[in-house]
Amino acid sequence: MLYPCRPFYPLFVVFIAFITLGSCKKNETTKTETKEIVSSLKNSPKGLNPVINLSGDENHINGILHYPLADYNPVSLQFEPILIKAVPIPMVVDEGPYEGQIRYDMEIIPEASWDNGDPITGYDYSFTIKSILHPLSNAIRYRAYLSKISGVVVDKDNPKKFAVYLDQRNIADVELVSGIPILPAYHYDPSSSLKSVTIAELKDEALYAELEATNPEVSDFAESFNSVKYSRDSIVGCGRYRLKEWLSDQYIKLERKEDHFFAGSENSLQLAEPQEIVFLLSPDQASSLAQLKSGNLEIYDQIDYQQMADLKADENYNERFDFKSVSIPRAYYLSINSRKPELQDKEVRQALGYLMDVDTLISSYENGYGKRISSPFLSVGDKSEVTPPTYDLEKAIQLLEKAGWTDSNGNQIRDKSIDGELVELDIQFMSTSSQLGQLVANIFKQLCRPAGVNIDIQTVDQTTLRKQLNNLEFEMTTAAASQSLAPYDPYALLHTDNSDPGEANVFNFGNSKSDSLIELIRTTTEVQERDKAYIELEKILHDEMPIIFLYSPIVHIVHKKEVNGITSIKKPGFVIQSFKRD
């Protein structure tokens, strides 16, 4: 027997709910087809496997090519079904092999099918989960979030129906079990290597070793799944668009599926207005701005406030473009690798926090359009008991001296004997060539010098930065992270379970107390209890300072006046599939 249990309710802060530009209503008799919408892409995707490649730009494109079972509607901001008949309700199992666990029953809509005509079924969902939980799969970050899934059982009489079991409740388990992109088993596992493999065999180290010894196809699957074949050469999803062309470092082109099962839908999650979507790869703001001015871009979402203000002040451009500003759940911060000898003392990390003038950064770069943050926990809001550090040279010097850092050789750089070796406070600071990244790096370098801290700026491309982070071969770096509208789960980013190479806790943050708070946040069904745990965890973050939180930005979007669509606080800030020509 199953008993319904109390559901979690999404917590998120809405700064600007949404702006709808034009109407999403279709009038088939008067509608003018939109041939192409062109936008910019800052970073060239490493790949487009939706459970492996999870950077901001990769997620944007993957979200167009692939559908999850359910997602947040960019207009209503409600979690709504897409491929399933209804958002599942958690039930407690009181008998059988999954006794005491949480069960979610789902049924995929009858019309949902893959490009080859095969129906989308629970077996595809089961395969997707197995591809993530496979210990050799590169879906490392998804695996951290889905580690509590203990089983998927597909109805033998109706494979559109299936049940998902979790061994304990998670903070956003409804969103987790139904919000992942679904992959076609026939395409990504053509030899059915994982079909008979159980989730328990993939999750248990001893069981997997035994499985691998008797069935080498299981490890062969991971090698294939991780390969360029399934991240670039052969991509199949159930979204309204398919990958048409990808010319490295130039552009990515998507084309609409005219015979898609959602064709004609007016739902903002299912729109496909332009026949083609083109992403021009523009590695810096200057090139993107030039493309916009020349008319090659319809939409540009990486413009800073000053550039937008300059365009608005120019009568020629003001007549050609519309300008919108949207606040999305996104954080800019500095990552600190506390494994490095010179960064192991928390007083040093605290001092670095007092040496970054965030208020001046917001004023100079964002013209004041940015909000200081002290953690990624949006639901804490005004209840926070932490004040972000403001620039204070004297305070920084006191902290450095408290940690034993002095200038013993008179070269204007502080030093300290660590394990019998004199170590200078010379910090390698990695940043991409982006305007904001370079501004942050140079402001930080200038402000650290009077305190006796030398900042060695290393400008690298996005691929190199990602590799260095994965290998933990960095000291400090600029970073940005976007959040979904679901309650925030800090497990992947901040739990000690995830501090190995290739995992998200690159800071080496955490102890038994912070881990226990994270586990409470993930499992409690009480909103007030969770918020208290967020507040306590925020205090530990502030004290240990593995991250220097900067601010949450306002996204400025410029688009041609003749095209209209939806903007939203849901990242990336606009729904490109909704844009069409008037």
Side-chain angles (χ1 to χ4, degrees):
M1 181 175 286
L2 302 175
Y3 295 96
C5 55
R6 184 175 179 181
F8 286 120
Y9 293 94
L11 297 172
F12 49 85
V13 178
V14 179
F15 299 104
I16 301 176
F18 66 87
I19 304 168
T20 304
L21 308 172
S23 173
C24 295
K25 287 276 187 180
K26 295 175 179 270
N27 185 329
E28 299 297 336
T29 60
T30 60
K31 176 181 174 182
T32 301
E33 277 286 1
T34 299
K35 171 65 177 174
E36 182 181 80
I37 291 292
V38 183
S39 185
S40 63
L41 202 64
K42 183 178 180 182
N43 300 305
S44 180
K46 185 178 180 181
L48 291 174
N49 185 317
V51 300
I52 292 176
N53 305 115
L54 303 176
S55 74
D57 287 333
E58 291 166 346
N59 274 335
H60 187 189
I61 298 176
N62 281 330
I64 301 171
L65 298 174
H66 303 269
Y67 272 130
L69 299 177
D71 199 2
Y72 281 96
N73 188 302
V75 176
S76 70
L77 303 180
Q78 298 299 306
F79 195 67
E80 299 178 359
I82 302 176
L83 298 177
I84 49 179
K85 290 185 174 181
V87 173
I89 298 172
M91 309 287 284
V92 178
V93 183
D94 74 339
E95 60 185 10
Y98 295 102
E99 182 179 357
Q101 298 194 21
I102 307 299
R103 172 174 165 173
Y104 289 92
D105 291 332
M106 290 181 271
E107 183 176 355
I108 296 172
I109 56 178
E111 62 269 30
S113 60
W114 298 110
D115 292 355
N116 69 349
D118 288 353
I120 300 174
T121 71
Y123 292 113
D124 295 302
Y125 180 89
S126 179
F127 161 72
T128 303
I129 297 299
K130 291 176 183 178
S131 74
I132 292 169
L133 296 180
H134 194 302
L136 300 183
S137 164
N138 286 343
I140 296 170
R141 297 196 177 183
Y142 260 123
R143 187 152 62 246
Y145 286 112
L146 298 177
S147 61
K148 300 302 180 184
I149 291 182
S150 58
V152 177
V153 178
V154 181
D155 190 312
K156 294 180 180 179
D157 296 325
N158 180 4
K160 291 272 186 179
K161 293 182 177 181
F162 59 98
V164 185
Y165 294 88
L166 279 71
D167 53 26
Q168 71 178 59
R169 294 216 64 187
N170 288 342
I171 180 174
D173 49 5
V174 176
E175 288 89 346
L176 288 175
V177 300
S178 59
I180 59 172
I182 306 304
L183 298 174
Y186 79 86
H187 180 76
Y188 288 88
D189 187 18
S191 61
S192 299
S193 302
L194 299 187
K195 188 172 184 178
S196 61
V197 176
T198 67
I199 287 176
E201 288 174 316
L202 295 173
K203 292 177 64 175
D204 185 276
E205 188 174 341
L207 289 177
Y208 179 77
E210 183 179 337
L211 175 69
E212 192 175 33
T214 58
N215 186 1
E217 283 190 358
V218 174
S219 56
D220 292 342
F221 162 80
E223 182 178 353
S224 175
F225 187 69
N226 295 335
S227 71
V228 67
K229 175 181 178 180
Y230 292 124
S231 64
R232 176 160 182 156
D233 298 339
S234 186
I235 297 168
V236 175
C238 61
R240 294 291 308 271
Y241 291 84
R242 63 171 60 90
L243 179 64
K244 180 179 181 179
E245 191 175 1
W246 184 348
L247 194 57
S248 294
D249 299 323
Q250 294 192 43
Y251 63 85
I252 292 175
K253 182 179 290 188
L254 313 181
E255 66 175 353
R256 187 174 64 198
K257 301 174 185 177
E258 300 301 337
D259 57 350
H260 193 274
F261 53 89
F262 282 147
S265 173
E266 298 178 356
N267 187 311
S268 57
L269 284 166
Q270 301 162 3
L271 293 173
E273 294 291 353
Q275 292 177 336
E276 293 184 343
I277 297 173
V278 181
F279 292 96
L280 294 183
L281 296 171
S282 302
D284 55 64
Q285 290 175 311
S287 59
S288 294
L289 191 60
Q291 294 276 18
L292 179 73
K293 289 180 176 179
S294 66
N296 291 332
L297 292 180
E298 266 88 20
I299 309 169
Y300 178 35
D301 67 318
Q302 298 167 32
I303 191 168
D304 63 44
Y305 174 82
Q306 189 56 54
Q307 289 174 328
M308 188 175 77
D310 291 343
L311 287 177
K312 292 175 74 173
D314 188 307
E315 184 176 343
N316 178 46
Y317 295 124
N318 194 34
E319 291 179 353
R320 291 170 52 194
F321 298 113
D322 277 338
F323 306 88
K324 297 292 180 291
S325 296
V326 182
S327 179
I328 62 174
R330 182 172 175 81
Y332 292 145
Y333 59 92
L334 305 182
S335 300
I336 303 175
N337 187 355
S338 64
R339 299 169 185 84
K340 301 300 181 180
E342 66 272 28
L343 296 171
Q344 287 180 355
D345 293 330
K346 72 176 182 180
E347 289 84 5
V348 173
R349 301 192 297 272
Q350 290 171 352
L352 295 173
Y354 284 105
L355 290 172
M356 184 64 213
D357 192 346
V358 181
D359 293 332
T360 296
L361 177 65
I362 295 173
S363 175
S364 61
Y365 184 74
E366 304 284 359
N367 201 47
Y369 284 86
K371 181 180 180 180
R372 288 238 42 194
I373 55 174
S374 52
S375 77
F377 313 139
L378 298 180
S379 64
V380 171
D382 295 336
K383 297 187 292 290
S384 174
E385 297 178 11
V386 165
T387 301
T390 55
Y391 176 71
D392 190 331
L393 177 60
E394 183 178 345
K395 177 70 172 178
I397 290 174
Q398 291 173 356
L399 287 165
L400 292 171
E401 291 179 348
K402 179 181 178 181
W405 291 87
T406 61
D407 182 12
S408 66
N409 55 15
N411 67 350
Q412 308 302 310
I413 300 176
R414 293 180 181 273
D415 53 63
K416 180 180 178 180
S417 179
I418 301 177
D419 296 330
E421 180 181 352
L422 189 67
V423 177
E424 293 202 326
L425 201 47
D426 192 334
I427 300 172
Q428 294 179 351
F429 189 103
M430 286 197 303
S431 173
T432 64
S433 60
S434 71
Q435 183 179 358
L436 178 58
Q438 290 296 302
L439 180 62
V440 169
N442 283 286
I443 287 177
F444 194 55
K445 179 182 178 73
Q446 179 182 353
L447 295 176
C448 281
R449 189 69 189 193
V453 180
N454 183 57
I455 299 298
D456 178 18
I457 299 174
Q458 298 182 344
T459 302
V460 298
D461 58 41
Q462 192 69 31
T463 300
T464 301
L465 178 58
R466 192 182 295 126
K467 180 180 178 181
Q468 297 292 86
L469 284 171
N470 284 337
N471 295 334
L472 307 178
E473 296 172 350
F474 77 102
E475 294 183 359
M476 288 189 70
T477 181
T478 53
S482 297
Q483 291 184 28
S484 73
L485 299 179
Y488 180 69
D489 182 354
Y491 176 72
L493 189 71
L494 299 174
H495 199 283
T496 58
D497 282 353
N498 302 306
S499 56
D500 291 331
E503 297 181 318
N505 186 355
V506 298
F507 329 100
N508 199 35
F509 167 78
N511 51 41
S512 59
K513 183 176 181 181
S514 63
D515 282 352
S516 65
L517 288 168
I518 291 170
E519 288 153 14
L520 176 61
I521 288 168
R522 302 189 85 200
T523 57
T524 183
T525 60
E526 299 298 327
V527 173
Q528 289 184 342
E529 184 178 33
R530 184 165 64 245
D531 280 350
K532 287 180 181 178
Y534 274 138
I535 291 169
E536 290 305 309
L537 182 58
E538 189 178 62
K539 290 178 184 177
I540 297 175
L541 274 172
H542 181 72
D543 182 57
E544 293 292 332
M545 202 73 71
I547 305 168
I548 301 174
F549 291 100
L550 303 178
Y551 64 96
S552 180
I554 304 295
V555 173
H556 305 293
I557 299 171
V558 180
H559 63 87
K560 291 181 179 178
K561 285 185 180 292
E562 62 265 28
V563 299
N564 288 296
I566 298 169
T567 62
S568 169
I569 73 163
K570 182 182 176 183
K571 60 185 179 182
F574 66 103
V575 183
I576 193 169
Q577 307 96 297
S578 72
F579 275 76
K580 59 184 178 180
R581 300 186 187 283
D582 291 337

